[in-house]
Amino acid sequence: MPDQSGGGGGGALPVEEQPPAYTGYDTTPPSYQEHTVKKVELPPYNGSGYPSHDDSNDETSPQARPRSAPYYAAFLLSTDEIGTDSIFILCFLVCLLFNWIGYIICCCLFTSVAARCGALSGIGLNLIKMLVILRRCHFENPQLVQTQLYFQLHDFQYAFLMLLGLVTMFYGFVRYHTAKQQHHREIALLPRYM
């Protein structure tokens, strides 16, 4: 049996001391009435999220500070939202070649103004293309022959659909051109900072 006294042997373990007792401390929290209340002063709230009318004359208020370029840029359409001429032409050609399937593909894949307007213009020209094919070509399919005869008997509907295709095509062109010009005008109005 090893010696517990700690004197001599190499295998002796020291005796652990016990921690002091926790008596003498008050462990109950103060009552609600004894606890001191710290009041926090908050700025006045007017419900709109903007400073109140009294704060507008303060030099540190947001209205007194000059607007920065990022502030104005938040209101502008970015170049990604407008798109480029190449995206317009791509969507125009996809809709012209693949009809309604191309229109759905362009509207699902692209979110820019150029893509939407290019797809709209492509669908307009596609309608014109189909009407010209129906009018000018000779078909052996009985359904297409009936369609040709119908359009020959009802020229006003043929003219109306042709006009609808032209208006749709030009509407897409004009809408994209207007959005692009407005974007360039808004960029030109931005204040220049050095």
Side-chain angles (χ1 to χ4, degrees):
M1 195 169 175
D3 184 19
Q4 295 284 336
S5 64
L13 297 173
V15 177
E16 294 182 24
E17 296 180 20
Q18 293 293 326
Y22 291 110
T23 59
Y25 296 109
D26 186 19
T27 58
T28 60
S31 67
Y32 185 73
Q33 288 81 13
E34 294 173 4
H35 185 66
T36 60
V37 178
K38 294 180 182 178
K39 188 173 181 180
V40 178
E41 292 293 326
L42 297 174
Y45 178 72
N46 60 5
S48 66
Y50 296 109
S52 64
H53 211 37
D54 300 334
D55 296 339
S56 62
N57 295 334
D58 187 15
E59 291 298 322
T60 61
S61 70
Q63 284 86 7
R65 284 179 273 174
R67 303 285 190 214
S68 62
Y71 173 81
Y72 289 108
F75 295 106
L76 296 177
L77 288 173
S78 69
T79 306
D80 296 336
E81 291 171 340
I82 293 292
T84 60
D85 293 341
S86 59
I87 293 293
F88 179 87
I89 293 170
L90 173 77
C91 290
F92 178 82
L93 291 176
V94 165
C95 288
L96 182 63
L97 297 176
F98 297 110
N99 303 337
W100 290 102
I101 301 294
Y103 182 78
I104 292 171
I105 288 171
C106 288
C107 286
C108 290
L109 289 181
F110 302 105
T111 59
S112 66
V113 174
R116 300 290 169 108
C117 293
L120 194 62
S121 295
I123 282 296
L125 190 60
N126 183 26
L127 180 61
I128 295 170
K129 175 187 78 170
M130 288 297 166
L131 289 171
V132 168
I133 288 172
L134 280 173
R135 178 62 76 127
R136 302 289 179 210
C137 293
H138 176 69
F139 298 108
E140 295 181 10
N141 184 344
Q143 291 175 337
L144 292 176
V145 169
Q146 289 290 34
T147 306
Q148 255 184 339
L149 290 175
Y150 181 81
F151 277 134
Q152 287 173 358
L153 294 174
H154 303 284
D155 281 334
F156 67 93
Q157 288 180 346
Y158 178 80
F160 174 75
L161 289 175
M162 186 72 78
L163 183 66
L164 181 69
L166 279 171
V167 167
T168 305
M169 182 180 69
F170 285 120
Y171 176 72
F173 284 129
V174 170
R175 186 172 168 200
Y176 174 60
H177 179 71
T178 304
K180 197 165 68 167
Q181 291 302 320
Q182 181 181 2
H183 176 66
H184 291 308
R185 266 187 261 122
E186 288 175 348
I187 286 179
L189 291 177
L190 280 177
R192 303 288 181 219
Y193 293 103
M194 292 191 166

